[in-house]
Amino acid sequence: MIRLLVADDETLVREALAVLLGLETDITVIAQADNGADAVVLADSRLPDIAVLDLEMPPQDGLWAAMRIRENNPGVKVMLVTRHARPGVLRRALAAGVSGFVPKTTPAERLAQIIRDISQGRRYIDPEIAATALTEDRSPLTERELDLLRATRGGGTIEEIAAQLHLAPGTVRNYLSTAMRKLDKKTRHAAAQHAWEQGWI
């Protein structure tokens, strides 16, 4: 019997996934979580065979949870499920030892077979996601702009970022404005998210 942990912040999606996978005779859902932090705690205490994680869970995403689950319990395999896969996220997922990367449009029957394959030690990456990763764009940003977007993603204020990087607040604002303009984003947070999704930071 393949024991699963299912984590998704959308209750309807999570429960539907748990029910559908639970219908399989060789799969059982032993735990559910609605955020990445709880998924890590449950993986530590329940030790599932596979953790099926939504990539876009706030406040910490599925990739964050995947990395910690793999660090704490290398024997637990991880599958990420997502609506919006980006090449950079795929690259980080593979580096973290994730065994599966699938879109949420995957039919339940196919998902169950992928779970069986992963339980046997195989890895599955959705072909469309893999193809996109091979054709990703190069970053138009400078190293300093990337540093500032990386710090922005950490949640700091302009003043905190300035102190962290030993820059004046006005300098930080100028670099972030330039990065936002290059990426055609209205906010620094949107620019940081885009850079993260592309794997530039």
Side-chain angles (χ1 to χ4, degrees):
M1 186 68 74
I2 304 168
R3 302 163 70 252
L4 299 184
L5 159 64
V6 175
D8 194 307
D9 61 310
E10 297 179 62
T11 303
L12 187 61
V13 172
R14 183 182 69 251
E15 292 183 349
L17 188 59
V19 168
L20 288 170
L21 291 173
L23 293 174
E24 302 292 329
T25 57
D26 57 344
I27 295 174
T28 182
V29 177
I30 60 167
Q32 294 184 44
D34 63 5
N35 64 77
D38 285 351
V40 173
V41 171
L42 284 168
D44 285 345
S45 62
R46 303 297 302 275
L47 292 176
D49 298 310
I50 300 173
V52 180
L53 310 175
D54 176 27
L55 178 63
E56 291 97 9
M57 291 184 290
Q60 301 288 2
D61 61 36
L63 182 55
W64 176 91
M67 292 169 71
R68 274 137 196 88
I69 289 171
R70 294 286 300 155
E71 284 170 8
N72 297 348
N73 303 288
V76 176
K77 295 178 173 66
V78 176
M79 172 193 287
L80 289 175
V81 183
T82 182
R83 282 197 181 92
H84 310 289
R86 295 291 187 273
V89 177
L90 172 59
R91 202 164 51 246
R92 280 193 293 273
L94 293 174
V98 168
S99 298
F101 206 102
V102 299
K104 281 192 172 180
T105 53
T106 305
E109 184 178 313
R110 177 68 183 131
L111 192 62
Q113 186 54 53
I114 293 168
I115 286 169
R116 291 185 188 100
D117 290 344
I118 288 172
S119 74
Q120 296 295 315
R122 291 189 281 276
R123 180 177 269 183
Y124 178 84
I125 307 299
D126 176 72
E128 190 171 324
I129 295 171
T132 302
L134 295 174
T135 58
E136 69 177 306
D137 296 331
R138 294 179 66 84
S139 171
L141 305 174
T142 66
E143 283 304 314
R144 179 57 87 184
E145 289 161 356
L146 291 170
D147 285 343
L148 288 162
L149 290 180
R150 195 175 292 111
T152 294
R153 207 170 139 69
T157 64
I158 293 290
E159 289 70 24
E160 288 167 342
I161 292 169
Q164 178 187 336
L165 297 177
H166 309 291
L167 296 170
T171 303
V172 169
R173 286 190 188 91
N174 289 340
Y175 276 120
L176 289 173
S177 294
T178 302
M180 288 159 52
R181 190 167 56 252
K182 285 180 180 178
L183 299 180
D184 194 25
K185 300 297 177 185
K186 291 184 172 28
T187 69
R188 61 190 172 101
H189 298 290
Q193 178 67 16
H194 179 81
W196 180 83
E197 288 174 348
Q198 294 301 322
W200 302 333
I201 59 174

